[in-house]
Amino acid sequence: MRYITPVAVWLYLVVTTVGEVLVYYSGPGTFSVDIAVGVIAMINALLTALFLMNIRKEPPVIQYLMLAPLALIMVLILTMLFAFAQ
Amino acid sequence: MLATSITVGSVNILLTVAVHRGPGMTWRKIPMFSWFMLFTIIAMLFSFPSLLAALILLFSDRVLGTMFYSASAGGSILWDDLFWFFGHPEVYVVLLPAFGLIAEIFPVFTGRPLAEKNIILVCTGAIVVPLSYMVWSHHMFLTGITLSENEAFSVATILISLPFDVIILAFIKTLTKSTIRLTVPMLFCIGSVFLFIIGGITGVFLSSFVLDVVYNNTYFIVGHFHYVMVGAAIFGLIAGLYYYIPKMTGKLYHEKMANWHFVLSFIGFNVLYFPMFFLYDMPRRIYTYQSLPSWDLFNLISTVGAFVFAAAQILLLANIIYTLRRGKISPPNPWGATTLEWVPLFTGASHGAGYGAGSAAGGEEHHVGHQTTRPIWLSAGIAISFLGLALLPYSWGIGVFVLGLAINAYAIVGWMSDDIHERFAMPWGLGESWPFSAIPKMRLGMWIFLSTDVIVFGAILGAYLYIRSFTTVWPAVGSIHEIPLGLANTIVLLTSGLTAYLALESIKEGNQRNMIIWISTTFVLGATFLAVKGAEWYNLYFGKGFSWSTNLAGSTYYFTVGLHAAHVTVGLLLMAYLIRKAMMGGYTKENHVGVENFALYWAFVDIVWVFVFPLFYLL
Ligand SMILES: [Cu+2]
């Protein structure tokens, strides 16, 4: 029964992806929809990394190795997005 | 291409330091030069992918006609950000190896251990390297970015100068109260530190965005920059060259010539670059300058210095030729150094003559069995195909491109067949020591590669978000892309993620048949995904007349999805290979690192799509 976890994760991913689209139809182009869709996508990416790449079973150094570029890229993206904001 | 190869090269060096240390070489005993190379690699690891992203976007703009950088809303700032995110860490990539050499050479010629070794390591590894990624906007102070960003990056830049102060003070402390032997390597080391101090102090001027109003784009910058990159870095590297010439050639260089080389270089360098600080009102990047009394003299002095400095380098070249031809035989340890590489045992063994007690004995046999010309063919093929891509605007460019692809195919197919027939006797060792214990090194390599790919995709998705947020007119969501079709295709890809995972689980249980079935399913799903993608593109391009040069929505969509599709294509090739090897019984319960790596890669491709789908179809 070791396949339960990956199948459950897969099911969750499929359902929430359909959910993303439904959320979108509930109010296309509104800010709150953008945020909701973004949050779903981030959770899905995290679940994939945790359960399909099994990063949770890797030693901490690998986890940091993947977190570091994520943090740096966030710095880059935020700097770009707020370059002209007041 | 350079950026790709450097990224892969970093993975290689990082693995070597982490996994291939000789027995007994614990982290605490690693020589300073190796430490600094490690730091260099970490500074490269996440910066070059950003350059790679910047360059493929540039290529796409130039050759394919997308318009990332030509966008009226801040396209040039996009280039600045992506380029300088690489550009600042790059300074340390050039500088740190030189500092590592200085840290090796100072103790030898001062006769005392390096002062504050641990503090130097902490300053470099824990402050300089991570912070190097967070100061890049100081190259963009005057581009019109907000005041608060200017302030933040100004502070970060001043911060990063502090650990360098500590490092330099530690170097100087090593020099004090010691009897210095002024050999040529030592002279170049001291020269390097001296020039770095000048380069560093002028750098602190430039970290202020207020002073930048005056200094920006002037010869002051040129002076500062060369004191660091040429003065500090190149002098340190030349020191290393002289220091290791006896090791590399077994002979001694010509002492007098080398001394003159230093004297002329040092004088020439300063005569060349110091006057530039007085030219702080002369714009740089010009092919000629106005004849003003305040500029003429300094430019003249500078030119004289340039000739002296350049001519001095002939002495280095001559000295190397002299050493190779007629140099006196060097004693095993001409400097009286105490580090491992000078232990007489290793002298003359050109192979694996690095650090690490065990490597010399085991070195030869270790490398037997993977001598192959495939990588050379592959590099040549990649070079030629990329050249072809760059030449695409000419009608014959496509021929060059196809030729390159053919060579690539020849190399890859050959390489794979070598591997299928186990022609490489590569030991699949585990990482021996903390913190990489118990990770097969190929998997470690895959993780490192993926961590760099995070930057590539992150930079490109960031570019999309940036463009999106500054472009006022954007096609309404749903007007371009078929959401239901995109959703269906996303589910196909997600399912392939599951089947790839199941393939790995099967082989972990030793079930080869199931593994082949699951991988084949994954292959079919991946191919379906690509086919649907192709159909979508066909409809968009021919049906709706929506191309990558239609507008920014087109540019970003085709580029990002295309890059993802390229990753999927690579995944399909890998799978074809895995299936072939598995059919020949190449994977077992114990040995399935290939499947494992593929599963990681494929899950990563999934994750990227998890973001691409909503970003392009729903937002
Ligand atoms: Cu910089």
Side-chain angles (χ1 to χ4, degrees):
Chain A
M1 284 298 95
R2 48 199 297 210
Y3 296 129
I4 285 192
T5 317
V7 171
V9 169
W10 167 77
L11 207 60
Y12 176 87
L13 294 178
V14 170
V15 170
T16 50
T17 307
V18 176
E20 274 178 357
V21 175
L22 294 180
V23 167
Y24 158 75
Y25 280 122
S26 77
T30 54
F31 186 64
S32 47
V33 163
D34 292 357
I35 295 294
V37 168
V39 170
I40 295 174
M42 278 183 208
I43 295 175
N44 287 0
L46 184 66
L47 284 176
T48 310
L50 285 177
F51 293 101
L52 296 184
M53 295 172 96
N54 272 334
I55 196 170
R56 72 210 150 98
K57 291 183 186 164
E58 298 284 2
V61 64
I62 296 287
Q63 295 164 358
Y64 291 123
L65 180 71
M66 297 307 283
L67 278 178
L70 279 177
L72 293 176
I73 212 68
M74 285 316 286
V75 173
L76 176 62
I77 292 178
L78 290 177
T79 305
M80 292 200 318
L81 288 184
F82 290 100
F84 302 109
Q86 282 314 306
Chain B
M1 186 160 71
L2 181 73
T4 320
S5 84
I6 284 178
T7 306
V8 178
S10 325
V11 174
N12 185 5
I13 295 185
L14 197 54
L15 274 176
T16 308
V17 174
V19 182
H20 282 296
R21 295 198 304 272
M25 179 58 70
T26 57
W27 283 102
R28 289 191 68 84
K29 290 189 201 153
I30 290 184
M32 287 304 267
F33 181 64
S34 305
W35 269 119
F36 272 81
M37 284 310 289
L38 181 65
F39 296 146
T40 305
I41 293 301
I42 299 173
M44 291 162 81
L45 201 57
F46 302 131
S47 60
F48 276 83
S50 179
L51 177 67
L52 177 64
L55 289 178
I56 50 180
L57 287 173
L58 181 65
F59 167 81
S60 165
D61 271 10
R62 285 274 169 93
V63 177
L64 304 177
T66 53
M67 35 208 197
F68 286 93
Y69 297 133
S70 53
S72 54
S76 55
I77 300 288
L78 176 65
W79 165 262
D80 278 1
D81 271 315
L82 293 183
F83 178 81
W84 287 114
F85 187 79
F86 144 80
H88 193 89
E90 161 68 5
V91 176
Y92 302 126
V93 168
V94 176
L95 184 66
L96 292 182
F99 273 19
L101 287 165
I102 294 173
E104 289 287 321
I105 295 172
F106 265 16
V108 175
F109 298 113
T110 57
R112 56 174 285 178
L114 189 67
E116 315 298 351
K117 177 180 165 182
N118 290 338
I119 295 182
I120 293 180
L121 286 177
V122 170
C123 277
T124 316
I127 307 178
V128 169
V129 172
L131 206 55
S132 73
Y133 289 108
M134 294 176 209
V135 295
W136 80 92
S137 283
H138 63 213
H139 298 271
M140 305 164 57
F141 279 152
L142 299 186
T143 53
I145 56 175
T146 56
L147 182 62
S148 36
E149 281 199 359
N150 272 350
E151 286 167 344
F153 282 97
S154 202
V155 170
T157 306
I158 294 168
L159 267 184
I160 206 170
S161 70
L162 300 180
F164 278 111
D165 300 343
V166 176
I167 295 168
I168 291 299
L169 286 174
F171 282 165
I172 294 174
K173 188 175 170 191
T174 313
L175 293 179
T176 55
K177 290 187 200 155
S178 62
T179 29
I180 299 173
R181 287 188 285 153
L182 280 182
T183 57
V184 176
M186 191 61 182
L187 285 172
F188 272 99
C189 280
I190 297 174
S192 166
V193 171
F194 179 84
L195 298 177
F196 181 78
I197 293 174
I198 298 180
I201 288 176
T202 50
V204 177
F205 290 26
L206 295 171
S207 66
S208 150
F209 62 89
V210 181
L211 288 180
D212 251 35
V213 176
V214 176
Y215 292 137
N216 181 55
N217 248 336
T218 68
Y219 263 77
F220 188 90
I221 307 263
V222 180
H224 151 73
F225 176 77
H226 285 85
Y227 264 88
V228 178
M229 299 284 277
V230 178
I234 305 281
F235 273 61
L237 294 178
I238 292 177
L241 185 60
Y242 279 118
Y243 182 66
Y244 283 115
I245 275 181
K247 186 84 221 172
M248 292 190 277
T249 63
K251 294 175 180 174
L252 293 171
Y253 56 78
H254 191 285
E255 185 74 30
K256 216 171 207 170
M257 210 188 321
N259 272 307
W260 275 107
H261 175 219
F262 172 74
V263 171
L264 290 177
S265 293
F266 190 76
I267 295 175
F269 179 91
N270 283 294
V271 173
L272 164 56
Y273 291 112
F274 203 78
M276 291 185 184
F277 293 126
F278 301 106
L279 290 169
Y280 60 84
D281 51 354
M282 179 172 134
R284 66 170 171 167
R285 292 174 182 158
I286 46 177
Y287 74 96
T288 184
Y289 58 94
Q290 255 181 302
S291 177
L292 297 179
S294 60
W295 289 357
D296 285 347
L297 178 64
F298 292 122
N299 276 293
L300 178 66
I301 298 174
S302 203
T303 307
V304 172
F307 279 103
V308 175
F309 185 54
Q313 306 318 309
I314 297 172
L315 289 177
L316 175 61
L317 199 66
N319 208 338
I320 292 174
I321 296 170
Y322 168 87
T323 311
L324 287 174
R325 293 239 172 125
R326 292 196 220 150
K328 278 192 218 126
I329 300 295
S330 159
N333 186 355
W335 311 121
T338 54
T339 41
L340 269 178
E341 79 273 26
W342 296 102
V343 174
L345 173 68
F346 299 118
T347 305
S350 67
H351 201 96
Y355 302 92
S359 67
E364 291 298 337
E365 79 194 61
H366 188 80
H367 282 255
V368 169
H370 57 105
Q371 287 156 345
T372 164
T373 56
R374 310 288 187 202
I376 295 289
W377 279 107
L378 186 58
S379 342
I382 292 175
I384 293 171
S385 55
F386 276 37
L387 185 68
L389 276 180
L391 293 173
L392 272 189
Y394 304 97
S395 55
W396 44 274
I398 189 86
V400 180
F401 179 58
V402 171
L403 174 72
L405 283 190
I407 299 177
N408 283 338
Y410 165 75
I412 292 177
V413 170
W415 197 330
M416 285 180 166
S417 100
D418 282 357
D419 189 49
I420 284 179
H421 300 108
E422 303 281 351
R423 271 190 212 134
F424 307 120
M426 274 281 277
W428 301 106
L430 296 180
E432 279 153 31
S433 42
W434 183 89
F436 296 108
S437 35
I439 310 173
K441 70 181 168 225
M442 295 305 284
R443 190 162 96 220
L444 180 59
M446 176 53 83
W447 277 116
I448 298 175
F449 166 74
L450 290 181
S451 74
T452 63
D453 221 14
V454 167
I455 299 281
V456 175
F457 272 109
I460 279 157
L461 291 178
Y464 166 73
L465 286 171
Y466 171 82
I467 285 174
R468 187 70 201 269
S469 70
F470 289 109
T471 309
T472 37
V473 187
W474 200 269
V477 187
S479 66
I480 304 276
H481 305 302
E482 306 265 353
I483 296 176
L485 186 62
L487 174 64
N489 216 14
T490 304
I491 294 176
V492 167
L493 193 67
L494 288 175
T495 310
S496 77
L498 176 68
T499 53
Y501 185 87
L502 294 178
L504 176 61
E505 288 299 312
S506 308
I507 197 65
K508 275 185 184 166
E509 288 171 357
N511 192 334
Q512 296 187 1
R513 206 179 128 260
N514 277 2
M515 179 222 142
I516 293 176
I517 293 174
W518 286 124
I519 283 282
S520 308
T521 319
T522 314
F523 186 92
V524 171
L525 290 168
T528 311
F529 176 85
L530 266 194
V532 173
K533 207 83 263 164
E536 268 184 304
W537 280 29
Y538 184 87
N539 277 336
L540 284 174
Y541 192 87
F542 293 106
K544 295 187 178 171
F546 178 74
S547 99
W548 46 88
S549 49
T550 306
N551 51 25
L552 281 166
S555 295
T556 49
Y557 168 76
Y558 280 101
F559 186 87
T560 313
V561 170
L563 187 68
H564 180 264
H567 276 71
V568 174
T569 311
V570 170
L572 290 180
L573 290 175
L574 289 174
M575 278 191 271
Y577 164 70
L578 287 180
I579 293 170
R580 172 124 179 75
K581 188 166 174 183
M583 297 242 209
M584 299 171 69
Y587 296 108
T588 58
K589 192 173 176 180
E590 291 75 33
N591 181 5
H592 51 258
V593 75
V595 189
E596 202 162 35
N597 275 353
F598 166 75
L600 284 179
Y601 175 82
W602 196 253
F604 180 80
V605 171
D606 256 16
I607 292 183
V608 172
W609 188 256
V610 161
F611 289 109
V612 172
F613 169 66
L615 280 175
F616 284 92
Y617 285 77
L618 301 179
L619 295 189

